């Protein structure tokens, strides 16, 4: 079951800047000549059929909490067993099989570095396998949604926070309350406020501040990219001399088809790569075409690289901010 053109337009428009007002679904529905209740029904349907995973915040890594990317080399006959163990960990947000000797890749996001380390240790204890830990060292570009209509280019943002962000004790509680998405009700921010014993204006003001400061990189519909034909999810990696990393990464980010670009540590001897780019394409040849283009942009004769395509998704969700969930 696929979204109709009107629903597709709504999702595309509201991947960003979802209204921070008392009755946001009334605002969202106006362009489609829908009232608030009709709009809520549309988004409930889109959630039920898996087109969107949630409406909420995408948070810049390592700003409110901590995160890392990790990988395991799993014997093929144990892959499903080990993937299930990894996916059961509450702080694991993404878990993919990829085409490499390191064949299981997962993201861990939690309150702090200790929570991340505890999750890695738990996985090691349960599987008997040692994970390589590849925390983000620098972010050069953060993906901000998918262009669902060919006429619209993907929006791009600065890689670092904007302005002066001062953490507030309420921020983590608010992000935890909406980590599975805003409630699909007429006054979602009021519902969150009642849950946290805060005022609605406090919820809206803090979300607005987090977005303005660049801590929330976007606030809106989080889509399931495979539902829109983005079935070739490539993690392209390079071994770049340390003194060239910044300039090479900057050249990579000029290509609008690069959705993420990070620097992560090498983990020798198995993992010699230090620049990571994510490319979501409709077919593998399209992803390779993008990689050829960015290699030309870098103009450095880079030849030590690898391309890891995801072949199975075992888990995909937003970052975890709830302390209680992290302790499960």
């Amino acid at each position: 079951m696929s979204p109709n053109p009107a629903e597709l337009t709504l999702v595309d428009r509201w991947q960003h800047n979802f209204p921070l007002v008392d009755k946001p679904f009334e605002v969202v529905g106006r362009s489609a000549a829908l009232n608030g209740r009709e709009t809520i029904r549309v988004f409930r349907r889109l959630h039920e059929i898996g087109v969107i995973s949630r409406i909420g915040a995408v948070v810049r890594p390592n700003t409110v909490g901590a995160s890392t990317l990790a990988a395991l080399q799993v014997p093929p006959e144990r892959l499903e067993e080990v993937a299930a163990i990894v996916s059961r960990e509450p702080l694991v947000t993404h878990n993919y099989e990829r085409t490499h000797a390191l064949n299981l890749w997962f993201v861990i996001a939690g309150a702090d570095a200790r929570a991340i380390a505890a999750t890695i240790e738990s996985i090691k204890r349960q599987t008997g396998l040692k994970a390589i830990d590849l925390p983000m060292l620098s972010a050069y570009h953060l993906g901000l949604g998918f262009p669902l209509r060919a006429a619209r280019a993907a929006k791009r943002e600065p890689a670092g926070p904007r302005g002066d962000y001062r953490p507030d004790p309420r921020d983590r509680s608010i992000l935890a309350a909406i980590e599975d998405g805003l409630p699909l009700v007429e006054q979602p921010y009021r519902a969150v406020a009642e849950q946290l014993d805060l005022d609605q204006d406090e919820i809206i003001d803090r979300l607005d501040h987090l977005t303005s400061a660049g801590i929330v990189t976007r606030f809106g519909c989080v889509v399931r990219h495979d539902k829109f034909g983005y079935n070739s999810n490539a993690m392209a990696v390079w071994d770049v001399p340390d003194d060239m990393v910044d300039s090479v990464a900057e050249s990579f980010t000029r290509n609008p088809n690069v959705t993420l670009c990070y620097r992560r540590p090498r983990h020798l001897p198995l993992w010699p790569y230090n620049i990571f780019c994510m490319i979501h394409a409709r077919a593998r040849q399209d992803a390779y075409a993008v990689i050829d283009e960015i290699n030309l942009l870098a103009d450095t004769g880079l030849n030590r690289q690898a391309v890891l395509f995801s072949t199975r998704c075992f888990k995909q969700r937003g970052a975890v901010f709830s302390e209680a969930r992290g302790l499960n």
Side-chain angles (χ1 to χ4, degrees):
M1 191 177 265
S2 302
N4 62 43
E7 293 171 337
L8 180 63
T9 298
L10 277 181
V11 173
D12 197 40
R13 165 64 184 87
W14 297 106
Q15 289 189 71
H16 308 268
N17 304 318
F18 194 82
L20 292 169
V21 298
D22 179 43
K23 296 181 179 179
F25 292 104
E26 288 189 357
V27 176
V28 168
R30 284 173 192 162
S31 62
L34 300 174
N35 63 35
R37 277 181 284 185
E38 291 168 331
T39 305
I40 290 168
R41 283 199 294 270
V42 167
F43 280 106
R44 283 177 178 165
R45 187 184 93 85
L46 293 174
H47 184 267
E48 287 168 2
I49 65 175
V51 169
I52 60 172
S53 61
R54 60 192 170 95
I55 299 173
V58 177
V59 180
R60 189 177 300 278
N62 300 317
T63 52
V64 183
S67 65
T68 197
L69 175 68
L72 292 169
Q73 186 171 9
V74 185
E77 67 275 11
R78 292 191 62 201
L79 187 62
E80 292 194 10
E81 169 214 341
V82 172
I85 291 169
V86 171
S87 293
R88 282 198 296 269
E89 288 291 331
L91 298 188
V92 169
T93 62
H94 295 67
N95 186 17
Y96 285 92
E97 178 186 8
R98 292 193 179 277
T99 53
H100 190 268
L102 287 163
N103 53 351
L104 192 66
W105 289 78
F106 49 99
V107 175
I108 307 170
D112 51 36
R114 287 182 300 175
I116 303 300
T119 296
I120 291 175
E121 181 58 31
S122 174
I123 290 170
K124 177 182 176 181
R125 186 175 63 252
Q126 293 179 75
T127 65
L129 301 171
K130 185 177 180 180
I132 68 165
D133 182 9
L134 301 167
M136 184 181 70
L137 302 178
S138 301
Y140 299 100
H141 173 62
L142 300 173
L144 292 172
F146 292 90
L148 306 183
R149 296 173 297 178
R152 181 175 71 80
K155 185 179 176 183
R156 302 181 74 75
E157 282 282 320
R162 302 183 296 271
D164 181 21
Y165 170 64
R166 297 181 180 178
D168 185 287
R170 295 169 293 180
D171 293 347
R172 189 171 185 86
S173 296
I174 293 169
L175 292 171
I178 64 170
E179 64 188 26
D180 292 324
L182 283 178
L184 299 177
V185 297
E186 185 180 31
Q187 295 174 291
Y189 305 113
R190 187 173 300 280
V192 174
E194 290 173 354
Q195 177 184 337
L196 299 177
D197 197 23
L198 297 172
D199 293 331
Q200 176 180 256
D201 287 347
E202 291 180 88
I203 303 294
I204 291 174
D205 287 349
R206 291 311 303 170
L207 288 173
D208 182 61
H209 181 67
L210 287 165
T211 304
S212 299
I215 304 303
V216 170
T217 59
R218 68 182 177 93
F219 191 77
C221 297
V222 178
V223 304
R224 300 284 191 187
H225 54 78
D226 57 315
K227 297 291 184 179
F228 295 95
Y230 291 92
N231 294 312
S232 291
N233 173 353
M235 185 173 76
V237 293
W238 289 260
D239 176 19
V240 176
D242 291 340
D243 61 350
M244 295 174 59
V245 168
D246 291 347
S247 61
V248 169
E250 183 182 353
S251 74
F252 285 173
T253 64
R254 294 184 199 132
N255 190 302
N257 295 298
V258 172
T259 53
L260 294 168
C261 184
Y262 293 145
R263 180 179 185 176
R264 298 185 184 276
R266 301 177 181 88
H267 202 289
L268 300 173
L270 190 58
W271 191 254
Y273 309 107
N274 59 345
I275 289 187
F276 292 61
C277 287
M278 290 303 306
I279 297 158
H280 293 81
R282 298 183 186 277
R284 287 197 179 189
Q285 61 265 32
D286 298 331
Y288 280 120
V290 173
I291 293 164
D292 289 343
E293 289 173 10
I294 63 178
N295 277 331
L296 286 172
L297 278 174
D299 193 28
T300 59
L302 299 177
N303 55 20
R304 193 174 189 185
Q305 70 173 87
V307 181
L308 287 69
F309 284 96
S310 63
T311 53
R312 273 189 288 182
C313 174
F314 294 105
K315 185 177 183 181
Q316 182 181 342
R317 55 153 293 122
V320 175
F321 296 95
S322 169
E323 298 289 349
R325 176 174 279 173
L327 293 171
N328 286 343

